[in-house]
Amino acid sequence: MQDYFTDLHIHLGSTLSGKPVKITASRKMTIEAVMEEARTRKGLDMIGVIDCHVPEVLVQLGNLVKAGVANEQADGGIQFGETTLILGTELEIHDENCQGLIHVLCYFPKRETMIEFSRWLSERLKNITLSTQRVYENAVVIQEKVRELDGLFIPAHVFTPFKSLYGKGVVQSLREVFDPELIDAVELGLSANTAMASALSELDRYSFVSNSDAHSVGKIAREYQKINMMEPTFEELKAALHERDGRGITANYGLDPHLGKYYRTACVECLQVVDGVGAVVEGCPGCGHARLTKGVSVRIEEIRDQAASSRERPPYIHQVPLDFIPGLGPKTLQNLREVFGTEMKILHEATFEQLASVIGEKVAQLIVKARRGELTFHSGGGGRFGRVK
């Protein structure tokens, strides 16, 4: 077995014919562009494309397999060179048990399986050609259908203030909406890490995944994980999420939560980070606006039921994306790629001396400090990312 770098939450912006998929994603996010970025620039071994329910996307993937550009694996996944694409879909759930909207990720082993799920979905949502659509079906029924098709069911960015399980979806527990037996893992999101999520005892049973939720090619692999598997296939991924036969996640790499857009409570109008939660009578201290966006850190403290988890988990490494590093612009990043090949090699393998020879000691030192977790940050909140001090 060996370790594979994996990002399981990547959107498409448009189809081959130019039709929109994820409305808020860059139109440059096509299958070809995503695979090129993941393979040659990011250095990922496995990616999850979570708009594969779209009929035109399914046809395009089939044509790429027929043309010999890609190969469908016997154990699930479509291989493009050394990188495997896992077919996924992101759905929006709001049934009679939900307090608010919840986003979930569903993955399937084969194109034929996704075709079957897409047909099933088309009877339960308004537009099968778009991403992250509202599904008019009970959440547990959706879970049962995913399990029937041998798929994986993962609640997405579970602490984000909007459209997430704990952000607005439930009062206290996932059991209010989901069958806990039919959840395969939990996605943390950009404003939370393993230590924060370990405050909830009901999550002790699940593996944590850290993914980019990329809406543009540059954001691919801003969060990812290293997974120990025999090979990058769907069945190996499933075994790793359930820690079977020595498989498992060996490290999560993600933003320091302070860099996330929703770590602290902030004013919805001026985005000033403030103390406290919800609306305050006197309004935002900066502009006087009454409404605040509750921070992930605050929400977790509201629902915490244990000091720490007894489960032994892989390390969560606070990986600062290269585009967050002060002084590291597009041209400098291109220089690094020309020397080291992929961002995985820049982030994990290049020595200080090697980096300094290309970009100078000052920026090289920041990359090394980021690797060691030694940088400090201005916290994000209210939809605005934090930044490196």
Side-chain angles (χ1 to χ4, degrees):
M1 288 194 288
Q2 67 182 78
D3 286 331
Y4 295 93
F5 290 118
T6 304
D7 180 356
L8 294 170
H9 192 154
I10 298 173
H11 281 284
L12 298 177
S14 66
T15 63
L16 183 63
S17 68
K19 294 179 180 178
V21 180
K22 180 69 173 180
I23 298 296
T24 54
S26 165
R27 288 298 185 91
K28 296 179 181 179
M29 292 285 278
T30 62
I31 286 286
E32 292 86 352
V34 165
M35 294 310 304
E36 176 70 15
E37 182 75 12
R39 291 168 58 195
T40 65
R41 287 186 281 277
K42 300 299 183 180
L44 292 169
D45 303 298
M46 175 184 283
I47 64 169
V49 175
I50 48 83
D51 300 317
C52 289
H53 66 282
V54 174
E56 189 177 341
V57 172
L58 286 165
V59 170
Q60 183 183 1
L61 289 171
N63 290 337
L64 290 171
V65 171
K66 289 177 183 177
V69 175
N71 177 48
E72 191 151 20
Q73 301 285 78
D75 283 341
I78 299 176
Q79 192 166 25
F80 291 76
E82 296 181 351
T83 302
T84 299
L85 182 155
I86 301 297
L87 296 96
T89 179
E90 184 174 26
L91 304 174
E92 187 171 280
I93 294 175
H94 189 263
D95 68 12
E96 64 277 7
N97 299 311
C98 296
Q99 303 297 311
L101 302 175
I102 301 174
H103 284 188
V104 300
L105 306 170
C106 308
Y107 304 91
F108 298 95
K110 300 289 184 70
R111 196 173 66 91
E112 288 75 15
T113 319
M114 180 60 87
I115 289 172
E116 183 175 349
F117 189 66
S118 179
R119 288 171 178 163
W120 184 84
L121 280 179
S122 67
E123 300 174 353
R124 293 164 171 82
L125 51 78
K126 293 182 178 179
N127 194 339
I128 195 66
T129 69
L130 294 178
S131 172
T132 325
Q133 294 294 284
R134 178 85 59 86
V135 184
Y136 295 91
E137 183 59 271
N138 179 270
V140 175
V141 172
I142 298 171
Q143 287 184 280
E144 291 170 344
K145 186 63 179 180
V146 172
R147 184 60 59 91
E148 175 191 325
L149 296 176
D150 196 32
L152 294 169
F153 185 92
I154 300 177
H157 44 74
V158 294
F159 299 110
T160 304
F162 309 105
K163 301 179 181 181
S164 78
L165 175 60
Y166 295 109
K168 288 286 179 67
V170 298
V171 176
Q172 181 75 31
S173 171
L174 61 84
R175 289 176 172 82
E176 297 166 33
V177 176
F178 296 127
D179 180 346
E181 301 297 327
L182 299 178
I183 293 175
D184 296 284
V186 168
E187 183 185 67
L188 298 177
L190 302 183
S191 297
N193 59 15
T194 296
M196 295 169 68
S198 295
L200 278 65
S201 61
E202 67 179 3
L203 298 184
D204 285 349
R205 64 192 297 179
Y206 306 116
S207 291
F208 293 156
V209 292
S210 45
N211 300 312
S212 68
D213 193 1
H215 287 53
S216 61
V217 290
K219 300 303 183 184
I220 293 173
R222 62 180 167 184
E223 295 204 347
Y224 53 96
Q225 47 266 306
K226 188 163 58 177
I227 305 181
N228 195 242
M229 303 179 282
M230 289 293 292
E231 56 184 346
T233 66
F234 180 89
E235 291 302 326
E236 286 289 310
L237 172 64
K238 178 185 284 188
L241 293 180
H242 290 278
E243 299 184 339
R244 297 175 187 149
D245 302 320
R247 282 99 169 144
I249 297 172
T250 56
N252 293 94
Y253 297 88
L255 299 182
D256 185 298
H258 289 273
L259 286 175
K261 293 196 292 185
Y262 300 108
Y263 179 74
R264 295 276 301 279
T265 295
C267 175
V268 300
E269 183 70 21
C270 71
L271 301 183
Q272 178 175 326
V273 172
V274 296
D275 293 324
V277 301
V280 291
V281 175
E282 63 272 21
C284 169
C287 69
H289 195 78
R291 291 178 56 213
L292 304 178
T293 299
K294 187 182 297 183
V296 168
S297 57
V298 175
R299 175 59 174 151
I300 289 176
E301 289 306 310
E302 285 182 349
I303 57 178
R304 170 188 290 276
D305 67 348
Q306 62 181 4
S309 173
S310 59
R311 172 172 173 161
E312 185 174 342
R313 291 194 179 274
Y316 190 104
I317 298 168
H318 288 147
Q319 184 76 72
V320 180
L322 291 173
D323 61 358
F324 274 74
I325 301 292
L328 209 167
K331 290 184 178 180
T332 307
L333 181 54
Q334 182 58 35
N335 291 339
L336 286 171
R337 285 172 172 163
E338 289 175 357
V339 174
F340 300 107
T342 68
E343 290 190 20
M344 292 300 110
K345 291 183 178 178
I346 297 168
L347 289 165
H348 296 283
E349 298 178 18
T351 65
F352 168 75
E353 291 75 18
Q354 290 171 329
L355 292 168
S357 69
V358 180
I359 57 175
E361 293 188 0
K362 183 177 180 179
V363 180
Q365 188 64 50
L366 288 174
I367 293 176
V368 172
K369 283 187 174 182
R371 186 184 295 169
R372 294 173 180 168
E374 297 174 355
L375 294 178
T376 55
F377 312 101
H378 296 286
S379 297
R384 182 169 56 187
F385 282 108
R387 65 187 190 275
V388 176
K389 287 185 178 180

